[in-house]
Amino acid sequence: MSLAGKISVSPPMLSFASLNAAPHEFYRELRPEFPFVQREDGAFIVLRANDVQTLVSDPRTRQIETELIRARGIKGGPVMDLVSSSLLFSNGDIHRRRRQPLSRCFAFRMMEGLRPNVRSLAEELVTIKLGDGQMKLRDDYAAAIPAVTIASILGIPRCDVPFFTSLAYRVSKLLTTTWTPDDLPDTEAAITELSSYVSSLIDDRRKRPRPDFLSDYVASVDEAAEMSALEAVMQIVSVVLGGTDTTRAAIVIMVGLLLDRPDGLWQGLGYQPAMVGAAVSEALRFEPAVASIPRLAVEDINLDGHVIPKGSPMLLSTMSALRDPEVYVDPDHFNLTRPLGKWHPVFGGGEHRCLGEALARIEMEEALSALVNSRLALELDDRPLMVHGHAGIRQVDELLIHWR
Ligand code: HEM
């Protein structure tokens, strides 16, 4: 009997563990019958593409603030400081003043200026790391590209990158579905260390401004005088979180999906560089690195006869929506000729649409191009691509690749 057939006519309540075990299967089975499912922590996971697209910027919703972490028993401390001070978890005017000093730097045009650096970095890594025939795709390649790039945007010395990145991964675990309350002490310690590191960078730019992003950011924060010192630090911590683990996972997933295909798609990309952008978009659709967008219902929301009550936290499941056959023809088929449009839903929508979208795309495109253009006959080792998580930031296992 199907999963949907086993349950009642009300949308089912599911545990973290069952959702994490087989998210695509759950979503595929349940989506035709139910517009949402409820998770054990009370969050409503919205499944259908049209609902996700509407609710992402709908007056019946607002961004989640501290509701999800409160539901998990967190009432204060560094996690609360981060969530209550970050642009990602704020609304209205507070969100506007937190986002504004960052937006100019992260504009598409400014990010395009970084492309040559990202390209050289990717090419350098391919030469060095693949030189002896084998490479750890996640740790030696996919992790380094966003980490070194964010570090250079923030003016962090290259020798500090491993320390700074390991803190970012420890903090970003909070935004995954494998985080448990047992992780709290480590997450708190990592937030404290990361924010004190960022705070010292900010102090340094205030004393010794130079022509870089962080000096501009500090100048614009000081001029506007609309943010506390904690908020000024936490917006940079948010950028670090948004920009490291997500793109690392996205690069591993994309390369893993493409190399796993027996149909010569990988070799085809070498002859059709224009298809690299399509490969990035389709990989983000097929197996997204971020699986959901958080929102809160500010009134009762009726979806297809089922009601999400006012005040409920919602996770708009891009992971489910991006495989909804109502919108994507033959959705479980990886297809580079699929028309996906300019505004990819994986980056969210409305005022919170991902600030790092342009950068993420550049990093993914250059990471893929450098591997394809190496003309090495790359193959996956025996271990298959493993992606974990049904919401929030997803996590990937290490993937070994080699060339013949
Ligand atoms: C493949 C990679 C990425 C994906 C799939 C992704 C996805 C998302 C999503 C779904 C949101 C929430 C949008 C919403 O609530 O409507 C978001 C927000 C955000 N992202 Fe990304 N992201 C990626 C990479 C990046 C990068 C590289 C950076 C920075 C360097 C970044 C920085 C941010 C920030 C700061 C926010 C908060 C924006 C706000 O609340 O106003 N992201 N991202």
Side-chain angles (χ1 to χ4, degrees), residues 42-198:
F44 287 76
I45 305 182
V46 176
L47 302 177
R48 296 177 183 162
N50 288 325
D51 292 335
V52 167
Q53 202 201 333
T54 307
L55 293 175
V56 79
S57 52
D58 185 292
R60 292 170 297 167
T61 71
R62 67 158 168 80
Q63 182 62 300
I64 280 187
E65 293 177 358
T66 54
E67 293 84 0
L68 273 179
I69 59 158
R70 282 185 197 280
R72 301 192 81 177
I74 298 170
K75 295 191 174 66
V79 169
M80 183 56 82
D81 285 347
L82 170 61
V83 172
S84 60
S85 308
S86 167
L87 78 162
L88 178 57
F89 299 106
S90 57
N91 284 287
D93 206 41
I94 296 178
H95 172 250
R96 181 203 50 77
R97 60 181 169 74
R98 289 176 180 172
R99 183 165 167 130
Q100 212 161 41
L102 298 169
S103 345
R104 199 167 52 92
C105 164
F106 280 91
F108 274 71
R109 201 168 41 82
M110 302 292 278
M111 289 296 111
E112 273 303 323
L114 291 177
R115 190 183 281 276
N117 302 355
V118 179
R119 179 171 303 162
S120 320
L121 171 65
E123 289 172 352
E124 179 192 319
L125 289 167
V126 168
T127 309
I128 297 171
K129 302 289 183 184
L130 259 174
D132 59 0
Q134 204 195 38
M135 177 163 83
K136 289 187 200 146
L137 182 65
R138 186 189 66 179
D139 290 355
D140 287 347
Y141 191 66
I145 292 172
V148 172
T149 306
I150 283 280
S152 79
I153 292 175
L154 296 180
I156 292 172
R158 191 114 174 216
C159 58
D160 277 3
V161 172
F163 159 74
F164 152 85
T165 329
S166 71
L167 289 177
Y169 295 146
R170 283 166 61 202
V171 178
S172 63
K173 187 155 191 232
L174 183 67
L175 303 179
T176 71
T177 51
T178 47
W179 188 90
T180 69
D182 290 346
D183 294 315
L184 186 60
D186 186 62
T187 311
E188 292 195 327
I191 293 175
T192 305
E193 268 192 83
L194 186 57
S195 33
S196 117
Y197 184 82
V198 168

Side-chain angles (χ1 to χ4, degrees), residues 56 63 87-88 95 99 106 150 239 242-243 246-247 250 284 290 293-295 346-349 351-356 359-360:
V56 79
Q63 182 62 300
L87 78 162
L88 178 57
H95 172 250
R99 183 165 167 130
F106 280 91
I150 283 280
V239 167
T246 48
T247 322
L284 286 168
V290 177
I293 302 162
R295 292 290 183 270
V346 79
F347 292 107
E351 295 182 346
H352 286 273
R353 187 167 172 92
C354 177
L355 197 69
L359 181 60

